[in-house]
């Protein structure tokens, strides 16, 4: 039976998670690991069957099962799929290990959107795939900014700014002089993005003045980070990542385990380290000075019992 394939990249946020939900600009990068979706005709009467063979950190799929079901429902609605008339078998695989912070739900959505488009010969543009993935992310995670699905669909390093009036979001591909040697460390804790984003919203409503100041400070971090990245000033990028992390602590999205990972990374020469994505667990992004530094940080993290994955951001 003929199978149609689609891929969706994982992502990591260098600057601006959570702030991006409120219209502040963020910088994120796709990583080369991706989710692969295969769509084929299903047996009559079976509706839409999802076979999820993606690798995961322990417990991820169980914690995310409601979110995944909502995403699937939204994709079915978006593409007006009549499961009774055209049963589908959707199989997920790929080398993106599902964990909080890596954009796994967005990769699921954009890979399936791409594969469904191919299956029905819809000739979808990236923009249309991104729209479908955003609809799925909205159903799954409440009020997403759209940064995850954008990275997952387009790939590359980019500046993303949500249009708070509901129009087109700003997406600008970012060229960097020197790619970044990164270690993505896993705390092993899975969080629900929806819940953490809702908690931050509550916190913001309780403390508007505190958030106004934090947003102002973040804006400065972003303004300094953009030229530092473009010029390949890794030491400066690292310092700014640390400052971004301080602000994330203030808005209550860090946690002990994230802080432990950061401390191991910094003691072993990381130029900067911060949580990436949802927070309160998930992944920590650590910037190393060079390849040797990257090896040292990764080895120290592994020795301390954390998963550590080396990756290069902004490379060709
Ligand atoms: C999640 O990867 C990033 C958040 O900023 C939520 C979002 O942007 O939708 C926490």
């Amino acid at each position: 039976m003929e199978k149609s394939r689609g891929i969706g990249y994982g992502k990591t946020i260098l600057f601006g998670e959570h702030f991006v939900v409120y219209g502040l600009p963020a910088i994120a990068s796709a990583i080369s690991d991706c989710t692969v979706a295969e769509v084929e005709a299903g047996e009559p009467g079976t509706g839409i069957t999802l076979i999820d063979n993606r690798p995961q950190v322990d417990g991820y799929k169980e914690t995310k099962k409601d979110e995944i079901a909502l995403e699937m429902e939204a994709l079915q609605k978006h593409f007006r799929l009549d499961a009774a008339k055209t049963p589908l078998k959707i199989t997920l695989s790929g080398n993106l290990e599902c964990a909080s912070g890596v954009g796994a739900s967005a990769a699921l959505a954009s890979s399936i959107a791409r594969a469904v488009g191919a299956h029905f010969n819809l000739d979808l543009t990236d923009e249309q795939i991104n729209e479908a993935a955003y609809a799925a992310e909205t159903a799954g995670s409440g009020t997403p900014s759209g940064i995850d699905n954008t990275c997952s669909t387009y790939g590359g390093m980019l500046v993303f700014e949500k249009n708070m009036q509901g129009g087109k979001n700003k997406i600008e591909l970012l060229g960097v002089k020197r790619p970044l040697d990164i270690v993505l460390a896993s705390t092993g804790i899975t969080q629900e993005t929806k819940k953490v984003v809702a908690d931050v919203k509550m916190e913001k409503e309780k403390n508007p003045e505190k958030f106004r100041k934090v947003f102002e400070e973040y804006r400065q971090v972003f303004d300094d980070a953009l030229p530092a990245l473009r010029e390949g000033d890794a030491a400066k990028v690292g310092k700014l990542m640390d400052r971004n992390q301080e602000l994330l602590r203030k808005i209550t999205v860090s946690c002990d385990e994230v802080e432990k990972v950061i401390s191991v990374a910094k003691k072993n020469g990381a130029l900067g380290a911060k949580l990436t994505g949802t927070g309160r667990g998930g992944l920590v992004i650590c910037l190393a000075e060079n390849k040797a530094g990257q090896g040292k940080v990764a080895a120290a993290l592994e020795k301390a019992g954390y998963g550590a994955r080396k990756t290069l951001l902004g490379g060709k």
Side-chain angles (χ1 to χ4, degrees):
M1 205 159 292
E2 207 181 313
K3 290 181 188 172
S4 302
R5 272 164 62 98
I7 68 160
Y9 297 104
K11 69 94 194 27
T12 181
I13 299 181
L14 276 154
F15 293 98
E17 48 278 277
H18 289 286
F19 305 125
V20 69
V21 172
Y22 299 95
L24 289 149
I27 301 172
S29 177
I31 59 173
S32 55
D33 290 0
C34 63
T35 292
V36 179
E38 280 179 342
V39 173
E40 61 195 299
E43 295 300 326
T46 54
I48 293 179
T49 318
L50 180 69
I51 297 161
D52 192 348
N53 294 330
R54 294 174 299 165
Q56 62 163 341
V57 300
D58 271 355
Y60 174 94
K61 289 180 203 170
E62 180 54 28
T63 310
K64 295 273 184 176
K65 67 175 189 302
D66 294 343
E67 209 175 299
I68 294 171
L70 289 168
E71 285 203 69
M72 291 304 296
E73 218 176 281
L75 285 168
Q76 186 174 348
K77 205 166 143 200
H78 184 88
F79 288 112
R80 297 195 184 89
L81 299 175
D82 185 340
K85 267 199 205 136
T86 45
L88 292 178
K89 179 175 159 197
I90 302 176
T91 309
L92 295 177
S93 61
N95 62 351
L96 178 67
E97 182 179 61
C98 299
S100 273
V102 80
S105 66
L108 170 147
S110 68
S111 65
I112 294 180
R114 207 177 274 286
V116 165
H119 183 77
F120 291 107
N121 294 316
L122 301 176
D123 213 9
L124 299 178
T125 60
D126 276 352
E127 198 175 339
Q128 287 168 315
I129 290 164
N130 201 26
E131 265 169 31
Y134 181 68
E137 281 276 274
T138 304
S141 2
T143 52
S145 61
I147 191 168
D148 288 13
N149 48 279
T150 301
C151 262
S152 194
T153 305
Y154 291 89
M157 194 183 281
L158 48 87
V159 175
F160 178 91
E161 196 173 323
K162 185 181 167 74
N163 183 327
M164 299 306 279
Q165 272 72 50
K168 270 198 176 158
N169 299 322
K170 181 173 152 194
I171 304 165
E172 186 191 319
L173 282 174
L174 192 60
V176 300
K177 225 180 200 166
R178 194 190 131 190
L180 305 174
D181 292 303
I182 294 290
V183 179
L184 284 176
S186 174
T187 62
I189 303 168
T190 300
Q191 280 295 352
E192 274 190 84
T193 308
K194 195 178 193 161
K195 183 179 170 304
V196 182
V197 169
D199 281 359
V200 171
K201 185 165 180 257
M202 245 160 54
E203 193 65 25
K204 181 174 174 288
E205 277 159 12
K206 271 196 281 175
N207 302 293
E209 186 49 23
K210 172 178 141 188
F211 270 71
R212 194 192 58 73
K213 280 199 193 123
V214 170
F215 283 4
E216 212 173 274
E217 283 177 62
Y218 170 69
R219 169 73 68 174
Q220 191 57 55
V221 168
F222 172 84
D223 286 348
D224 293 344
L226 206 50
L229 275 167
R230 283 201 175 112
E231 286 151 23
D233 186 344
K236 185 146 189 211
V237 172
K239 281 202 185 100
L240 291 164
M241 285 167 67
D242 291 346
R243 276 192 34 216
N244 192 154
Q245 174 62 19
E246 279 166 29
L247 301 175
L248 290 164
R249 272 178 207 129
K250 286 191 186 166
I251 65 163
T252 76
V253 295
S254 191
C255 67
D256 288 351
E257 214 57 32
V258 164
E259 296 301 332
K260 277 187 212 156
V261 172
I262 290 176
S263 148
V264 174
K266 299 280 298 183
K267 275 190 196 132
N268 286 278
L271 298 174
K274 60 178 273 295
L275 68 88
T276 180
T278 302
R280 296 206 185 143
L283 297 186
V284 173
I285 178 172
C286 315
L287 174 62
E289 198 171 351
N290 49 33
K291 283 270 166 294
Q294 186 188 39
K296 187 175 170 199
V297 170
L301 285 163
E302 272 166 2
K303 198 167 159 219
Y306 300 105
R309 184 187 169 284
K310 292 183 265 183
T311 188
L312 191 71
L313 299 186
K316 295 263 179 282

